[in-house]
Each structure stands twice: as structure tokens, then as C-alpha cells.
């Protein structure tokens, strides 16, 4: 089923959109089924779970951290994480930079934006992001690279609202690219999940984060 699900989703995605398989709460055997048909990008939202899977599974897997990240946990993933989607403060960026330096590498990051109506979702406003990237402290960070933006739309059946939220994230991306990151490496818009990824792709997504439509419903809410 997992392999069939991936094939079906891949057929609906343009070639330039990355399918990130969100494997949180799922066993390593599920990840290996996806791996066997060529998936190399997996998303996790808990540091400890990601570290365990990283240790056991093939080393050519690219691990994406998509959940809220506490500064005191950055050190556990700094040696291997491929992309951190959930950067929402200067303090976190400074910590990622410091830990990346210890491993003599540059860690790619996305700035997470709050685009949904729910108050519980993490993320920056455009104003807050501009304050960060315009600051002298930010300019000193040499071991992080901002590759783009990430956001989660509201949980709602109102597809027009979801579309507007994705358009908002795209406009944030365009503004940041024009004003602060006029470089080819600033190119990712991580938006779209199982229920709304088709809308996200229509609105310019470059990374869709899909869990339940690949691996089935999760056992417990996370
Ligand atoms: C769990 C999760 C997803 C995947 O959600 P599905 O609805 O199962 O596709 C995507 N993004 C984030 C940030 C998540 O936490």
C-alpha cells in the first residue's frame, strides 16, 4: 500500500516539487518500503524519534525536521539533519549556527510562517522575519543558509481560505527573495499536506509534506 500510495501521489506532482514523506510515529519498516522505491527525503517532528531512525536506517536518507525545535535539542541533529523547516526565532538560528559550526557544516533552514487562523500553530509574521534577517546578528551567521519558507494552512474544508493562506505564504516568499535573498539558493516553499497539497502545488509549493496519505492514519495525535 505504501508504495502504491507514493506512486499515485508522484503522478500528480510536477517534476520540480519534492515529495517529503512524513514518517513521524511510523515504524522503520514503513520507511524502508518507501526507501525501496526511491524515496530519500523523510520528515519527522520529534528530535529523539528522528535521531533513532537516523541511527538505524541507510545513511543516504535526507532527514527533514518539520516540528517545533527547542534550542537545547539542536545539538542532537546538527551533524546530519538535511533541512530544518521550522525556524521561528533568531535565538534558534543562532543555536543552529553554533552547533553547525562544531560539525564544520552549513545547515539549510526554512523560516516558518504563521499563515493559519488557528492560534496554536507556530511561526513568524513577515514583520518579525524582516526584523530577524535585517539584524546585524543574522548577518554574522555563517553556518546556516536560509533556503526559503514553510507554513501550514488552517484545518478547514474551506478550500478558498486554504488557497488564500498559501497565496499569502507565496507572497511572503516573493518579498523576502526580492528584499533579502536575491540568490538561487533561496527557492523553497514548503507547503501542503495530505489534505491540501494539490492546492499548495497550484499556488507554488516546491516541497509537499505528506504523511497519512502515504503511511495511513497515525495512531495518536501528535
Ligand atoms: C504531521 C505533519 C505533516 C503531515 O501531515 P499529514 O496530514 O499526515 O499529511 C506535514 N507537516 C507538518 C509540519 C506535520 O507536523
Amino acid at each position: 500500500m505504501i508504495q502504491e500510495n507514493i506512486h499515485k501521489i508522484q503522478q500528480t506532482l510536477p517534476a520540480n516539487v519534492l515529495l517529503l514523506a512524513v514518517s513521524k510515529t511510523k515504524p522503520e519498516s514503513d520507511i524502508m518500503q518507501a526507501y525501496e522505491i526511491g524515496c530519500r527525503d523523510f520528515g519527522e517532528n520529534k528530535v529523539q524519534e528522528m535521531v533513532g531512525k537516523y541511527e538505524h536506517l541507510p545513511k543516504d536518507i535526507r532527514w527533514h525536521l518539520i516540528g517545533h525545535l527547542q534550542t537545547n535539542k539542536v545539538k542532537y541533529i546538527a551533524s546530519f539533519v538535511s533541512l530544518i523547516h521550522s525556524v521561528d526565532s533568531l535565538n534558534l538560528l543562532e543555536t543552529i549556527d553554533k552547533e553547525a559550526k562544531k560539525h564544520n557544516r552549513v545547515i539549510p533552514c526554512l523560516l516558518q510562517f504563521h499563515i493559519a487562523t488557528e492560534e496554536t500553530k507556530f511561526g513568524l509574521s513577515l514583520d518579525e522575519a524582516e526584523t530577524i534577517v535585517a539584524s546585524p546578528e543574522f548577518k554574522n551567521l555563517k553556518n546556516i543558509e536560509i533556503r526559503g519558507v514553510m507554513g501550514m494552512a488552517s484545518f478547514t474544508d474551506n478550500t478558498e481560505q486554504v488557497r488564500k493562506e498559501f497565496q499569502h505564504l507565496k507572497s511572503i516568499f516573493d518579498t523576502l527573495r526580492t528584499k533579502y535573498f536575491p540568490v538561487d539558493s533561496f527557492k523553497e516553499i514548503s507547503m501542503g499536506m495530505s489534505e491540501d497539497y494539490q492546492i499548495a502545488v497550484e499556488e507554488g509549493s516546491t516541497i509537499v509534506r505528506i504523511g497519512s496519505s502515504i503511511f495511513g492514519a497515525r495512531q495518536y495525535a501528535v
Side-chain angles (χ1 to χ4, degrees), residues 22 24 45 66 150 152 193-194 209-212 218:
V22 175
K24 64 188 185 193
N45 70 338
I66 61 172
M150 181 270 220
M152 290 169 86
M193 305 169 36
S194 292
R209 309 179 308 269
I210 300 187
S212 41
R218 286 177 293 275

Side-chain angles (χ1 to χ4, degrees), residues 25-149:
T25 80
K26 297 296 177 180
E28 293 168 6
S29 54
D30 281 10
I31 294 176
M32 285 312 296
Q33 285 194 46
Y35 182 90
E36 278 163 21
I37 55 163
C39 277
R40 292 296 179 271
D41 291 271
F42 292 90
E44 292 284 337
N45 70 338
K46 295 218 162 67
V47 164
Q48 211 175 351
E49 186 175 343
M50 189 165 95
V51 169
K53 287 171 174 173
Y54 162 73
E55 283 170 355
H56 298 149
L57 293 170
K59 290 296 174 280
D60 60 343
I61 287 178
R62 292 180 289 269
W63 294 101
H64 298 239
L65 200 282
I66 61 172
H68 185 64
L69 178 58
Q70 292 171 285
T71 53
N72 61 352
K73 299 210 170 144
V74 174
K75 58 177 176 284
Y76 301 115
I77 60 171
S79 69
F80 70 91
V81 68
S82 176
L83 181 63
I84 299 175
H85 291 231
S86 45
V87 171
D88 60 359
S89 73
L90 179 60
N91 185 29
L92 180 57
L93 268 180
E94 288 175 325
T95 306
I96 296 169
D97 183 76
K98 187 182 79 187
E99 296 298 331
K101 196 169 292 174
K102 290 182 188 166
H103 296 281
N104 196 24
R105 64 180 294 232
V106 173
I107 297 184
C109 298
L110 305 180
L111 297 173
Q112 180 173 358
F113 286 88
H114 183 269
I115 56 170
T117 51
E118 292 105 353
E119 289 191 0
T120 51
K121 284 180 183 151
F122 294 100
L124 299 160
S125 65
L126 178 56
D127 270 0
E128 289 167 338
E130 290 201 68
T131 302
I132 292 172
V133 300
S135 70
E137 292 89 347
F138 177 80
K139 297 200 171 79
N140 284 335
L141 305 179
K142 300 287 183 261
N143 292 72
I144 54 108
E145 180 175 58
I146 306 292
R147 291 272 178 88
V149 301

